[in-house]
Amino acid sequence: MSKEPRYIHHVNFPTTDPDRTAEWYTKVFGMKRIMPKSNTRVVLMTRGNFDLHFTPVEEMERMAPYHFAVEVDDWDDFLEHLGELGIRHTRPIQRPENQSKFCYIHDPDHTMIELVWHGKRPN
């Protein structure tokens, strides 16, 4: 038996519009909405390798600078995908210490999401 955690199972964020949120995360990250078997109002989204949950709220509080980061496999393809969806991102920055890249996008509730790419990171 290990005392070490295995991985983060999910992170939960607020949403003012559950259906809009589910649609956005499906389009942008290819996530799938899981309909809960209980009477919870929480929106459950999965990619299989990570989950996001969204709790409905009446009003959204400012989240910045709090955010989560998503690693992408192909930097240029993903930025092109965002362009096709009309999703704006900040100016990409390359870290000189490891040539990784990052930029930020926001979901419809203005939750900040960092996109990262590490070209030499082992699988």
Side-chain angles (χ1 to χ4, degrees):
M1 179 189 303
S2 173
K3 296 178 187 172
E4 302 295 321
R6 184 181 272 174
Y7 52 82
I8 293 175
H9 181 269
H10 72 271
V11 182
N12 190 313
F13 292 95
T15 177
T16 59
D17 187 331
D19 292 330
R20 177 187 67 192
T21 295
E23 181 180 324
W24 192 88
Y25 280 87
T26 297
K27 283 190 316 189
V28 176
F29 295 115
M31 299 187 83
K32 179 181 174 187
R33 188 174 188 175
I34 304 298
M35 299 312 283
K37 294 184 179 6
S38 65
N39 63 354
T40 183
R41 295 176 40 220
V42 174
V43 176
L44 309 175
M45 302 294 296
T46 189
R47 276 221 14 113
N49 58 343
F50 72 88
D51 294 354
L52 296 174
H53 295 180
F54 298 90
T55 299
V57 295
E58 292 296 320
E59 291 184 39
M60 187 69 175
E61 293 185 29
R62 180 171 156 79
M63 295 281 295
Y66 307 110
H67 67 280
F68 65 95
V70 174
E71 179 91 22
V72 299
D73 286 328
D74 187 312
W75 184 256
D76 294 329
D77 279 353
F78 199 82
L79 293 187
E80 184 177 321
H81 168 65
L82 293 177
E84 291 168 356
L85 295 173
I87 297 172
R88 296 173 48 175
H89 58 79
T90 61
R91 181 178 60 82
I93 296 174
Q94 184 167 328
R95 292 180 176 102
E97 63 273 13
N98 62 7
Q99 283 64 57
S100 66
K101 297 178 183 181
F102 71 97
C103 68
Y104 295 93
I105 62 174
H106 292 87
D107 76 6
D109 279 307
H110 306 289
T111 300
M112 187 164 55
I113 303 161
E114 181 178 357
L115 302 175
V116 293
W117 175 81
H118 294 82
K120 296 180 181 176
R121 176 174 276 187
N123 290 335

